[in-house]
Amino acid sequence: MKLYWGPHTCAIGIHILLEEAGATFETEKIDVAGGGTRAEEFLRINPKGKVPTLLRDDGSVLTEFGAIGTWIARSYPEAGLIPDDAEAETRMVEILDYIEGTIHGQGFTRIFKPDYFEPQDALHGTLGLGRSKVEHQGREIVERAFALLDSQMAGAAYAVGETVSIADAALFYVERWAEPNKISLPSHVNDHFHRMLARSSVAKVRRLWGEG
Ligand SMILES: N[C@@H](CCC(=O)N[C@@H](CS)C(=O)NCC(=O)O)C(=O)O
């Protein structure tokens, strides 16, 4: 199988899950910032034009973080990436959806791509530090969401209890977007970020991504 990834993207979470699972896979780097996800060759593989994209050994393609993460977790059950307990699994999906839909989709996308959300004339209305209103709104969404997760994470090593799950890989990729965007992580979330950084899977992936 092959993981398509791009520097600085959410694909790092899937790369980490593949390492945690002990899977055998190849990777292909896509120049996302340079428009590689919009190249015809890539769109033939994933018409959504997004990474992570996972090409499986049977030739089928999986997209969307939660779906890819679930497939990895179900395919390598010994890695324990989905909690066995139904209540814990449900809580994990709740956190995962919140990260995908709200922190990434609504928050960081406003920060990275304010022009997706506002008409050209609104780009001239800036608030403090030269940020557009949409970008400012994105920061508020992200900060409020991290604060909420922080209140849920007191006393727990990982997103749901004491072992790594799909939600931790997702939480890690949004945590790593915080500092470059001058967003401070609240204490429990920050502890989680450092706990993830200390994992050998994360160190390995960061080295492969040219970061470590
Ligand atoms: N809903 C998708 C989001 C994926 C996504 O937004 N990927 C970004 C990188 S973090 C991307 O590929 N952007 C390239 C583009 O929009 O051209 C998922 O869960 O996998």
Side-chain angles (χ1 to χ4, degrees):
M1 84 185 126
K2 188 195 277 188
L3 171 68
Y4 294 87
W5 65 282
H8 313 296
T9 67
C10 52
I12 198 163
I14 295 299
H15 202 160
I16 290 166
L17 290 172
L18 286 167
E19 289 295 341
E20 290 281 346
T24 303
F25 60 100
E26 301 167 48
T27 61
E28 185 169 327
K29 183 178 176 178
I30 302 296
D31 177 13
V32 176
T37 43
R38 291 185 296 281
E40 246 178 65
E41 191 190 346
F42 184 73
L43 289 172
R44 269 197 295 273
I45 299 159
N46 178 3
K48 292 177 180 171
K50 301 280 180 193
V51 292
T53 296
L54 190 70
L55 173 63
R56 293 185 291 187
D57 291 341
D58 66 358
S60 63
V61 170
L62 278 182
T63 66
E64 302 301 324
F65 194 101
I68 303 172
T70 302
W71 180 78
I72 295 168
R74 290 285 179 224
S75 303
Y76 300 87
E78 61 291 346
L81 296 167
I82 294 184
D84 288 334
D85 173 68
E87 173 65 16
E89 178 181 350
T90 305
R91 292 297 181 188
M92 187 206 70
V93 173
E94 185 180 40
I95 293 171
L96 186 58
D97 282 356
Y98 191 50
I99 294 165
E100 301 303 314
T102 301
I103 303 184
H104 179 174
Q106 294 185 36
F108 276 112
T109 307
R110 275 179 169 76
I111 297 170
F112 297 150
K113 311 257 186 192
D115 50 313
Y116 279 9
F117 294 86
E118 59 190 342
Q120 280 305 302
D121 58 353
L123 285 170
H124 299 299
T126 58
L127 292 177
L129 302 174
R131 291 186 185 117
S132 76
K133 289 177 187 170
V134 166
E135 212 181 322
H136 185 77
Q137 201 178 35
R139 298 174 67 82
E140 282 184 347
I141 292 168
V142 170
E143 284 169 355
R144 203 177 317 124
F146 276 139
L148 199 141
L149 287 180
D150 195 64
S151 66
Q152 295 174 5
M153 286 177 69
Y158 291 103
V160 182
E162 298 306 310
T163 57
V164 162
S165 70
I166 306 165
D168 293 289
L171 184 52
F172 176 74
Y173 85 70
V174 287
E175 288 167 343
R176 75 198 282 275
W177 286 342
E179 202 255 340
N181 289 289
K182 299 190 168 48
I183 290 170
S184 353
L185 295 175
S187 70
H188 302 302
V189 174
N190 193 47
D191 289 348
H192 174 269
F193 181 46
H194 288 279
R195 204 167 285 125
M196 290 298 289
L197 283 171
R199 292 185 75 83
S200 58
S201 62
V202 176
K204 180 174 178 187
V205 171
R206 291 187 65 229
R207 258 194 323 275
L208 293 169
W209 282 40
E211 296 179 7

